[in-house]
Amino acid sequence: MNELPEFVSWPKIPRWENDHVIITEKLDGTNAQILITPFGEVFTGSRNQWITPEKDNYGFARWVQENIDEVRKLGHGRHYGEWYGQGIQRTYNLPTKRFALFNTFRPPETLPEGIEIVPILYQGIFQEELINEYCLELINKGSRASPNFMNPEGICIYWKQSKRIHKCIINK
């Protein structure tokens, strides 16, 4: 008799009604991650690969090494975010680079020195008109990540139930 293959069920479909979302400003930099092992080892990565100060991505790995004591305060796990600012994509008129975590659930008071969270524009029940409202706010008032920067990229909408993120780019 043949052994049965592994059974994979169809995933549960989240309800549309009353779906909570978090809308954040989409930063235009370069994707970055920090992995901290249970033993305190620290690894840095770009979107597609591990990086080092010798094989870096806009100086992110070097910055992590230079700030290793603060970075370790993030705690065990993977910490994804955007490395943005001076010399990266839109630059945001910043004299330096910054690291902003995508994890909007982390309390700001627990952030190590020099690490921020992407700007949260809205949290609550999804309403379609919010997409245009927050894109227009960024167009008219500029970036929340860098006040007076008038060319923000757009927004990200995080759907809590399905744990999916969608982006809306301004000027596209």
Side-chain angles (χ1 to χ4, degrees):
M1 178 173 193
N2 291 336
E3 187 176 317
L4 291 174
E6 177 187 358
F7 181 82
V8 177
S9 63
W10 181 259
K12 186 172 174 84
I13 300 172
R15 291 184 184 273
W16 172 259
E17 62 190 352
N18 297 326
D19 201 358
H20 283 80
V21 296
I22 299 172
I23 298 177
T24 61
E25 180 177 349
K26 183 179 184 319
L27 301 176
D28 189 15
T30 186
N31 188 277
Q33 74 166 289
I34 299 169
L35 169 65
I36 302 174
T37 72
F39 307 105
E41 296 171 289
V42 178
F43 297 89
T44 51
S46 64
R47 178 182 304 279
N48 301 313
Q49 63 186 346
W50 294 116
I51 57 175
T52 66
E54 297 77 34
K55 186 181 174 194
D56 214 337
N57 185 28
Y58 292 100
F60 181 67
R62 183 178 61 248
W63 177 83
V64 168
Q65 287 305 308
E66 290 170 357
N67 296 278
I68 195 76
D69 291 335
E70 283 300 310
V71 167
R72 278 196 178 103
K73 292 177 184 177
L74 285 169
H76 167 251
R78 290 183 189 270
H79 306 280
Y80 294 97
E82 195 78 1
W83 180 239
Y84 75 105
Q86 179 190 47
I88 308 172
Q89 307 294 6
R90 292 172 197 252
T91 74
Y92 289 83
N93 297 334
L94 294 171
T96 60
K97 296 176 180 78
R98 298 178 180 174
F99 183 55
L101 292 173
F102 297 145
N103 181 357
T104 58
F105 298 107
R106 186 179 186 119
E109 62 273 9
T110 68
L111 290 172
E113 179 95 17
I115 297 175
E116 58 193 54
I117 294 173
V118 292
I120 299 170
L121 307 176
Y122 172 83
Q123 294 185 70
I125 303 297
F126 177 74
Q127 301 162 42
E128 194 168 346
E129 59 270 12
L130 293 172
I131 294 172
N132 286 336
E133 179 181 329
Y134 286 103
C135 284
L136 285 172
E137 178 184 308
L138 290 172
I139 290 168
N140 294 323
K141 295 181 180 177
S143 170
R144 286 209 193 163
S146 180
N148 300 316
F149 179 72
M150 298 305 294
N151 188 23
E153 185 178 14
I155 62 172
C156 287
I157 304 113
Y158 173 74
W159 300 84
K160 284 185 168 183
Q161 285 188 14
S162 61
K163 296 181 172 72
R164 304 235 351 159
I165 300 173
H166 297 263
K167 62 184 175 183
C168 180
I169 305 299
I170 297 172
N171 298 327
K172 292 246 177 177

